[in-house]
Amino acid sequence: MKIGELEKQSGISAHTLRYYEKAGLLTPSQRGENNYRHYSQDDLISAKFIKRSKACGFSLAETASLLAIKTDKSHHVCAEAKSITHSKIQEIEEQIQRLQQMKDTLIQLEKYCCGGQESAVFCSIISALEQDQTVAKGE
């Protein structure tokens, strides 16, 4: 199948498929004399695998590692995939903590602002950001 068909069947844009090819994640099974990419059913499976990996939050590097395991399962162990997944979970938990800190800071900023039509000269949000008072707590 050509890239347009792979795009339809995988739900991944042709532009992104080309990007994945440049990144080494997806390689067309063959190229025609006209240099058109030709993809196989296995390529479609890999494209969908990449899409699901990205939807789970895996980076391109992590996705490449998972693809390597998928491609050569007999030379890898399950612990490799679990380790990648565990690391991603830890990373997401850290992101959640940072986001929660940001949210708490924003709640404090919002709480002390009157939100009225008065001049921003007296805006507590602007003052706090200028003085780095509340924002430092969220870092």
Side-chain angles (χ1 to χ4, degrees):
M1 75 185 84
K2 291 184 182 172
I3 198 163
E5 185 61 28
L6 183 63
E7 177 181 29
K8 287 178 193 169
Q9 290 191 35
S10 68
I12 302 170
S13 74
H15 176 76
T16 301
L17 291 167
R18 286 186 204 97
Y19 177 77
Y20 290 160
E21 181 182 347
K22 286 179 187 174
L25 294 175
L26 188 64
T27 305
S29 294
Q30 56 184 329
R31 285 194 179 254
E33 289 179 21
N34 55 8
N35 209 29
Y36 285 2
R37 297 165 177 87
H38 293 280
Y39 296 94
S40 67
Q41 200 61 30
D42 285 340
D43 296 329
L44 174 61
I45 291 167
S46 291
K48 288 181 176 181
F49 182 93
I50 294 166
K51 184 177 180 179
R52 286 189 294 273
S53 295
K54 294 297 295 166
C56 288
F58 289 111
S59 67
L60 289 181
E62 292 161 337
T63 299
S65 296
L66 292 168
L67 266 173
I69 295 168
K70 173 197 156 310
T71 302
D72 196 9
K73 293 175 188 168
S74 63
H75 288 94
H76 293 276
V77 294
C78 190
E80 293 173 78
K82 183 169 183 161
S83 175
I84 294 166
T85 303
H86 181 75
S87 293
K88 180 53 63 178
I89 291 168
Q90 288 180 311
E91 181 183 316
I92 290 171
E93 286 175 348
E94 290 169 7
Q95 288 176 342
I96 290 169
Q97 286 178 343
R98 284 192 304 274
L99 289 170
Q100 187 60 52
Q101 289 172 342
M102 289 169 64
K103 179 182 174 189
D104 292 345
T105 299
L106 291 170
I107 288 170
Q108 288 302 310
L109 286 171
E110 181 186 42
K111 182 177 176 181
Y112 293 110
C113 181
C114 68
Q117 296 301 313
E118 296 81 8
S119 169
V121 169
F122 304 106
C123 180
S124 61
I125 294 173
I126 300 302
S127 295
L129 292 172
E130 284 178 327
Q131 297 171 18
D132 201 26
Q133 296 169 346
T134 312
V135 180
K137 286 195 242 176
E139 293 181 343

